[in-house]
Amino acid sequence: VFIINGLLFSFVVLGLFTIQPNQAVILQFLGDYVGTVKSTGFQWTIPFFRTRRVSLRIRNFETQKIKVNDNEGNPVEVASIIVWKVIDSSHAIFEVDNFVGFVYTQSEAALRGLIMRYPYEAYDSNSISLIRNTEEVSLQLKVDAQQRLTEAGVEIIEARISHLAYSPEIAAAMLQRQQASAVIAARSQIVEGAVGMVESALEIIEEKQIATFTDEKKAQMVSNLLIVLVSEQNVQPTIETNH
């Protein structure tokens, strides 16, 4: 009786295990997958079953800064933050050898592919660029990473670019190009505004009959007004006198 009770007691005790919140236990028997237990607290199973624990908690990591050529061939440095969790523990254990390393490697591969798809900056307002359309780029990174990690039973909760800059060897040249582009854009806006002001001034003068201009005088006035409005230096007035 004591031997039988001892065997029964050992059989019961060896089958007991606990599960923490956001944790799953995978059961195997002779190498075959039996099932997954996610209920928290004390659980019991046949002692001959092998148990493997998998955390279902949310995890995050930041990829290393990597150098990638963008869509236009410019080298850029980029890094991202990936927030993820396991949603299918059996896939995480049996489909890949090391699902944590798999997440790291595939997330970096998705980031590389994304950077090569878009330019760092676009001069066309309708085009997507890495520096201007951060929300769209981050959303696409999440989609790309999820496609690579679905088979591993992993869900990407959030993916976001944490670092983005030109590589040091071209940073100075790119800064000069940005400054030149900004100057050109500013000058274009100034010229457009000046032309509108000249047109409005001529219309008011003719409407109120302040003066009458010949085509030659009108052209001269337009030229003078544009010089005054567009010039970056103070313009000295010239007064014509008739002898």
Side-chain angles (χ1 to χ4, degrees):
V1 173
F2 285 107
I3 293 175
I4 294 175
N5 288 336
L7 292 175
L8 289 175
F9 180 76
S10 300
F11 185 80
V12 172
V13 171
L14 292 176
L16 289 174
F17 61 94
T18 59
I19 299 181
Q20 302 294 330
N22 286 324
Q23 189 180 61
V25 173
I26 294 177
L27 304 178
Q28 289 180 266
F29 181 69
L30 299 178
D32 292 332
Y33 171 67
V34 177
T36 302
V37 183
K38 298 181 180 179
S39 302
T40 58
F42 267 111
Q43 303 293 332
W44 183 87
T45 186
I46 299 175
F48 304 112
F49 285 175
R50 180 190 177 189
T51 59
R52 301 179 66 176
R53 298 178 182 272
V54 179
S55 175
L56 305 179
R57 296 182 177 93
I58 296 175
R59 316 182 199 188
N60 73 94
F61 71 97
E62 184 174 10
T63 62
Q64 296 181 353
K65 293 180 182 179
I66 58 177
K67 184 183 295 185
V68 189
N69 290 341
D70 67 355
N71 182 261
E72 296 179 347
N74 299 317
V76 298
E77 288 185 346
V78 62
S80 65
I81 295 176
I82 306 295
V83 183
W84 63 282
K85 68 175 182 178
V86 175
I87 59 174
D88 192 328
S89 54
S90 63
H91 277 68
I93 294 297
F94 300 119
E95 294 296 333
V96 294
D97 184 43
N98 180 0
F99 69 90
V100 176
F102 187 77
V103 171
Y104 283 29
T105 303
Q106 294 300 320
S107 297
E108 183 175 310
L111 179 61
R112 286 182 179 274
L114 178 73
I115 299 303
M116 295 174 63
R117 198 181 310 166
Y118 300 108
Y120 181 86
E121 56 182 339
Y123 300 99
D124 183 4
S125 59
N126 297 324
S127 301
I128 296 179
S129 64
L130 298 173
I131 194 66
R132 185 173 57 192
N133 305 95
T134 55
E135 292 297 330
E136 292 85 346
V137 171
S138 296
L139 181 60
Q140 188 60 47
L141 176 60
K142 177 182 177 182
V143 173
D144 293 349
Q146 185 63 68
Q147 291 177 351
R148 294 171 176 266
L149 297 172
T150 299
E151 291 298 325
V154 172
E155 177 187 4
I156 300 298
I157 299 175
E158 182 182 6
R160 187 166 297 276
I161 302 294
S162 60
H163 173 78
L164 181 64
Y166 280 117
S167 295
E169 61 266 23
I170 66 166
M174 290 298 112
L175 179 60
Q176 292 179 353
R177 191 179 76 171
Q178 291 176 356
Q179 292 174 344
S181 299
V183 170
I184 292 173
R187 299 298 295 177
S188 299
Q189 188 173 2
I190 291 173
V191 171
E192 183 178 354
V195 171
M197 294 174 64
V198 170
E199 183 180 4
S200 177
L202 291 176
E203 290 178 355
I204 293 175
I205 291 175
E206 292 180 354
E207 181 180 354
K208 294 186 177 182
Q209 298 180 355
I210 297 175
T212 302
F213 297 104
T214 62
D215 292 340
E216 182 180 354
K217 290 292 184 180
K218 186 180 293 186
Q220 184 178 359
M221 183 177 180
V222 169
S223 176
N224 293 337
L225 286 175
L226 286 176
I227 292 174
V228 172
L229 295 173
V230 177
S231 177
E232 295 181 355
Q233 300 178 353
N234 293 330
V235 179
Q236 298 296 329
T238 302
I239 301 176
E240 293 185 2
T241 57
N242 295 325
H243 296 284

